[in-house]
Amino acid sequence: MSTIGTVEDELAATLSAVAERTRVDDAVAGRIRRHFPALHAALATRGASSADLAELVTTAVVAANGLSLDLKVHGEQRAANTTRTASRFALGAACYADRYAGNLAGLRDEVPALRDLGVSVLHVQSPFGRREDGTVDLRRGDPGLGSIDRLSDLAGDLRLSGISLAVDVPTSDDLSMLIDDLLFLAGRGVEVFLLSDRAAVDIAAAVLAIGAPGVDVLPASPGSAPLWQALATGDAAPVQRAIERRDSSTDVAAVRDADAVIWETDAAALTARYTDESSFGRGLATDGGVAGTTASLAGVEAGDPLGEARVALAHALVLSVPGLPMLWLGDEVGQLNDPTFRDDPERRDDARWTHRGQKPRDRYAQKTDAATSAGRIHRDLTKLIAVRHTTPEFDGADLIGFGVPVPSVVGYQRPGDGSVVLVLANVADEPAHIPAVTLSGFDSTALDLVESVEADMSEGLTLPACGFRWLRVSPVA
């Protein structure tokens, strides 16, 4: 049972306790009052005490008082945009600094290309050093990548280009130390934190809203296994359930992650589908899952005729569901598995390095050549990103499932202000027909947003193998 009193009593006591220890100006006091109920509720579920509450708020206020003027101004501007990571203009991109650009300084040279792609959040994977016991030290940079000052420099360059720096944060048993470290990094320009500990997200988000306005704390990706299971089996049910759970979601939506795809069920059978040379997938088995780049798992490496379509389909789902869509840099040109990790004694036993290859410069050189796989994939994904920007229904976090009586078809609606976008996707290797009666709740004429053409639904719709549609529809009154 919680030892915290009522919100009203605790707010008054906390304001008094904080004022005794540090300066509280009007702006900070206003943020405390605004975000205190959320912090109170989050701490109450952990059985925290009044002293814990006062300590966290004090820590936040001290950090707020220490922010540089440019971070204060920029943070207040970001805080005024409450939909900053739930907007159709929000787009994340992830990479390892050393694999993609050599180090943190090298990433600064990639900023123009990131801006051209439409990236608003750059997730730099694990840029931190480690202590002697092997735990991550969030206050020290990885010596091979650059110092915390280098990370701050990168954050500044990104910020000037309208891009926020994101880092992933490991689980910690010491909540106070975790919060201290997040505030420390926010003071050096990090604007998005991805936490694998979902129980700590609400607490950290409320504390940082007080101490570092405009900084986001988001749950990390729940994993991409349902997508890859559906593509392997042609059964849309796993991904349909996963997508419907994303209604009101604010976490990351990703086609794949830095780690392997870990199956939720039927691990051996599903792994076999991606490691059997007779299938379209090209991956490496891991404990309970499979490793591989998006393109290799989708069939591009194997030369499967549907490989590129699967890549587009996977991203069409991620770019149209609630949450922050996160691309893995290299996927936009169809990066393939890297077998050379076997030559590295420190990495050869970890199959995940097969999808953590160096930046595929040869494929980037082909990104404007539609005669190449890299060029076609780049064309398709950048078109989806551009269409997403022009689709206000993709703002926010509302999603409504749409049942389709075809086992291979995923369906859901993204409601807007007086309009609806219906997303339909066929995960099977053969065409799928959606009967007219299923679509009878909408006018028979819809607008295909990706192709910019009208779609006649009076006799149903046929989706090609591994095909999808983003349809602006009008519900029948």
Side-chain angles (χ1 to χ4, degrees):
M1 180 178 294
S2 172
T3 56
I4 297 179
T6 66
V7 172
E8 292 77 10
D9 290 343
E10 293 293 352
L11 175 58
T14 297
L15 284 170
S16 177
V18 174
E20 290 179 358
R21 297 175 60 182
T22 189
R23 177 174 58 87
V24 183
D25 62 28
D26 290 343
V28 172
R31 293 201 299 272
I32 294 174
R33 293 188 177 92
R34 188 159 56 252
H35 299 289
F36 191 85
L39 178 59
H40 180 278
L43 284 175
T45 63
R46 297 172 68 103
S49 67
S50 298
D52 295 328
L53 186 55
E55 184 64 30
L56 285 175
V57 175
T58 300
T59 300
V61 174
V62 170
N65 291 340
L67 283 175
S68 64
L69 180 59
D70 65 323
L71 288 180
K72 284 183 179 180
V73 172
H74 184 73
E76 289 169 357
Q77 292 172 342
R78 276 178 56 82
N81 177 15
T82 57
T83 63
R84 53 190 175 268
T85 60
S87 160
R88 66 187 186 274
F89 300 106
L91 177 66
C95 70
Y96 281 90
D98 57 339
R99 311 297 282 173
Y100 195 75
N103 51 33
L104 294 175
L107 272 180
R108 298 172 72 181
D109 296 332
E110 301 291 340
V111 171
L114 295 172
R115 187 174 58 240
D116 290 344
L117 185 58
V119 171
S120 64
V121 175
L122 176 64
H123 176 198
V124 179
Q125 289 273 349
S126 307
F128 304 109
R130 291 186 177 271
R131 304 181 182 91
E132 291 185 359
D133 63 1
T135 59
V136 175
D137 185 350
L138 294 175
R139 295 181 180 240
R140 187 169 65 87
D142 182 329
L145 301 180
S147 66
I148 288 296
D149 287 339
R150 289 289 189 189
L151 189 69
S152 184
D153 291 342
L154 172 62
D157 284 359
L158 291 169
R159 189 164 59 249
L160 290 174
S161 294
I163 302 173
S164 296
L165 175 62
V167 297
D168 48 294
V169 180
T171 300
S172 173
D173 293 330
D174 190 334
L175 181 62
S176 295
M177 179 177 292
L178 173 68
I179 297 296
D180 281 348
D181 287 342
L182 298 190
L183 287 166
F184 168 82
L185 289 168
R188 278 143 188 83
V190 177
E191 294 184 325
V192 180
F193 295 101
L194 306 178
L195 269 61
S196 55
D197 181 2
R198 293 186 171 232
V201 169
D202 290 343
I203 296 173
V207 174
L208 266 71
I210 295 169
V215 171
D216 293 293
V217 182
L218 303 177
S221 167
S224 58
L227 167 66
W228 294 105
Q229 179 178 349
L231 290 173
T233 64
D235 179 5
V239 73
Q240 180 75 39
R241 289 192 295 269
I243 285 175
E244 289 186 9
R245 288 196 296 267
R246 297 198 66 85
D247 181 31
S248 302
S249 176
T250 59
D251 61 14
V252 168
V255 169
R256 68 177 178 91
D257 302 296
D259 291 323
V261 178
I262 301 299
W263 306 117
E264 299 173 359
T265 183
D266 300 329
L270 289 169
T271 296
R273 288 178 179 263
Y274 285 102
T275 55
D276 182 349
E277 289 293 315
S278 65
S279 73
F280 65 80
R282 292 291 181 269
L284 296 180
T286 64
D287 186 14
V290 64
T293 67
T294 297
S296 289
L297 293 179
V300 175
E301 182 177 330
D304 188 275
L306 293 175
E308 293 172 17
R310 291 189 190 96
V311 173
L313 169 62
H315 286 89
L317 294 176
V318 162
L319 290 166
S320 61
V321 298
L324 175 66
M326 186 70 71
L327 308 181
W328 192 266
L329 287 174
D331 277 359
E332 79 277 20
V333 291
Q335 182 168 7
L336 303 179
N337 288 342
D338 176 17
T340 65
F341 80 97
R342 296 292 195 195
D343 301 328
D344 186 337
E346 295 183 359
R347 293 172 174 167
R348 63 172 54 143
D349 295 326
D350 186 347
R352 295 175 300 176
W353 288 104
T354 194
H355 59 239
R356 299 174 180 173
Q358 302 284 352
K359 180 180 180 180
R361 299 187 184 280
D362 56 338
R363 297 186 74 88
Y364 275 103
Q366 299 171 342
K367 71 179 184 179
T368 60
D369 183 358
T372 65
S373 174
R376 290 188 296 271
I377 289 173
H378 187 266
R379 175 200 62 199
D380 292 345
L381 267 57
T382 53
K383 183 176 183 179
L384 288 176
I385 293 168
V387 174
R388 172 181 161 86
H389 287 172
T390 64
T391 308
E393 294 89 346
F394 289 163
D395 282 329
D398 293 336
L399 180 146
I400 303 169
F402 184 78
V404 179
V406 182
S408 66
V409 175
V410 180
Y412 51 95
Q413 303 170 72
R414 295 300 309 276
D417 185 8
S419 61
V420 174
V421 168
L422 174 65
V423 178
L424 299 168
N426 175 26
V427 298
D429 294 352
E430 56 277 330
H433 183 74
I434 303 170
V437 66
T438 302
L439 304 167
S440 60
F442 307 111
D443 287 345
S444 61
T445 300
L447 176 63
D448 185 317
L449 298 177
V450 178
E451 300 300 329
S452 298
V453 297
E454 285 191 350
D456 181 4
M457 305 191 299
S458 60
E459 297 184 5
L461 281 175
T462 298
L463 297 175
C466 298
F468 66 91
R469 306 289 284 273
W470 288 354
L471 300 171
R472 179 169 287 128
V473 295
S474 300
V476 175

